[in-house]
Amino acid sequence: TSHWRWFEATYYDDSLIWGVTRESVYDVGMKNGIERQYSSGELFREAHYSDNEIIGTEILYYPPGVVYAKAQWKDGEAKNATWYYQDGKVKTTKDYKKYPLTKVTDYHENGKVKAKYTVMGDEEIIDGEYLTFDTKGKLIQKSKFDKGTEVKK
């Protein structure tokens, strides 16, 4: 069995030049184990792999090491994901179980629901009912969308 670690440095030009370093564990030519990615020395992504597929929890970080997002993976597909405000409160949740339809819930910083809606595909086109709530959690608007276009009543 061949088991080795691979380190890769990639540089992007995105108004600032910054470096990304990736540390991956390979076993018999496939990712198996934890992969960590760093930007300017700060951990920004961590995921567990088995036979080249992400399994379990993938975590993205704000610098310096504050959780930005978590995604749960099974059978090579994301099942759900949660994004966080920098203070650790939930910002957005996505349920991918019926993909290409994804149920989304956005939250105000106080933890109350801000919006509930469904998006389609990777483009995340809003489709169906879109509910908007105030900071106290009271429903303030109901809208209807058909493949990204608001349906007027």
Side-chain angles (χ1 to χ4, degrees), residues 106 108 112-116 129-144 150 153:
D106 293 326
H108 292 284
K112 298 286 185 182
V113 172
K114 182 178 184 178
K116 286 187 172 192
E129 194 171 62
Y130 190 106
L131 305 175
T132 306
F133 301 85
D134 67 14
T135 56
K136 294 179 182 171
K138 180 182 174 198
L139 179 65
I140 55 173
Q141 185 176 354
K142 258 187 184 181
S143 304
K144 181 87 171 161
E150 188 171 2
K153 294 179 182 179

Side-chain angles (χ1 to χ4, degrees), residues 18-36:
W18 51 285
V20 174
T21 303
R22 179 172 53 189
E23 178 185 17
S24 303
V25 177
Y26 280 78
D27 191 16
V28 193
M30 291 198 266
K31 286 184 191 178
N32 279 293
I34 297 173
E35 177 178 82
R36 291 184 178 95

Side-chain angles (χ1 to χ4, degrees), residues 13-152:
D13 187 7
D14 173 26
S15 77
L16 292 172
I17 297 175
W18 51 285
V20 174
T21 303
R22 179 172 53 189
E23 178 185 17
S24 303
V25 177
Y26 280 78
D27 191 16
V28 193
M30 291 198 266
K31 286 184 191 178
N32 279 293
I34 297 173
E35 177 178 82
R36 291 184 178 95
Q37 291 177 300
Y38 301 86
S39 175
S40 302
E42 298 279 345
L43 179 65
F44 83 88
R45 180 180 173 272
E46 186 173 57
H48 296 264
Y49 283 82
S50 177
D51 297 331
N52 275 348
E53 287 189 353
I54 298 175
I55 58 169
T57 304
E58 174 185 29
I59 304 172
L60 301 171
Y61 298 91
Y62 290 110
V66 176
V67 175
Y68 167 72
K70 288 183 181 179
Q72 298 297 319
W73 291 78
K74 186 175 181 186
D75 300 325
E77 296 179 357
K79 298 300 178 186
N80 60 63
T82 304
W83 282 260
Y84 299 90
Y85 289 104
Q86 284 194 313
D87 65 4
K89 292 181 183 167
V90 174
K91 182 177 186 179
T92 300
T93 59
K94 293 185 180 181
D95 180 346
Y96 300 107
K97 291 181 189 103
K98 294 186 178 177
Y99 188 83
L101 296 178
T102 302
K103 291 185 179 285
V104 181
T105 304
D106 293 326
Y107 296 87
H108 292 284
E109 288 188 57
N110 67 4
K112 298 286 185 182
V113 172
K114 182 178 184 178
K116 286 187 172 192
Y117 52 99
T118 300
V119 294
M120 294 187 326
D122 291 339
E123 299 83 17
E124 295 197 346
I125 297 166
I126 299 170
D127 191 58
E129 194 171 62
Y130 190 106
L131 305 175
T132 306
F133 301 85
D134 67 14
T135 56
K136 294 179 182 171
K138 180 182 174 198
L139 179 65
I140 55 173
Q141 185 176 354
K142 258 187 184 181
S143 304
K144 181 87 171 161
F145 285 81
D146 182 23
K147 296 179 184 139
T149 304
E150 188 171 2
V151 178
K152 301 292 182 187

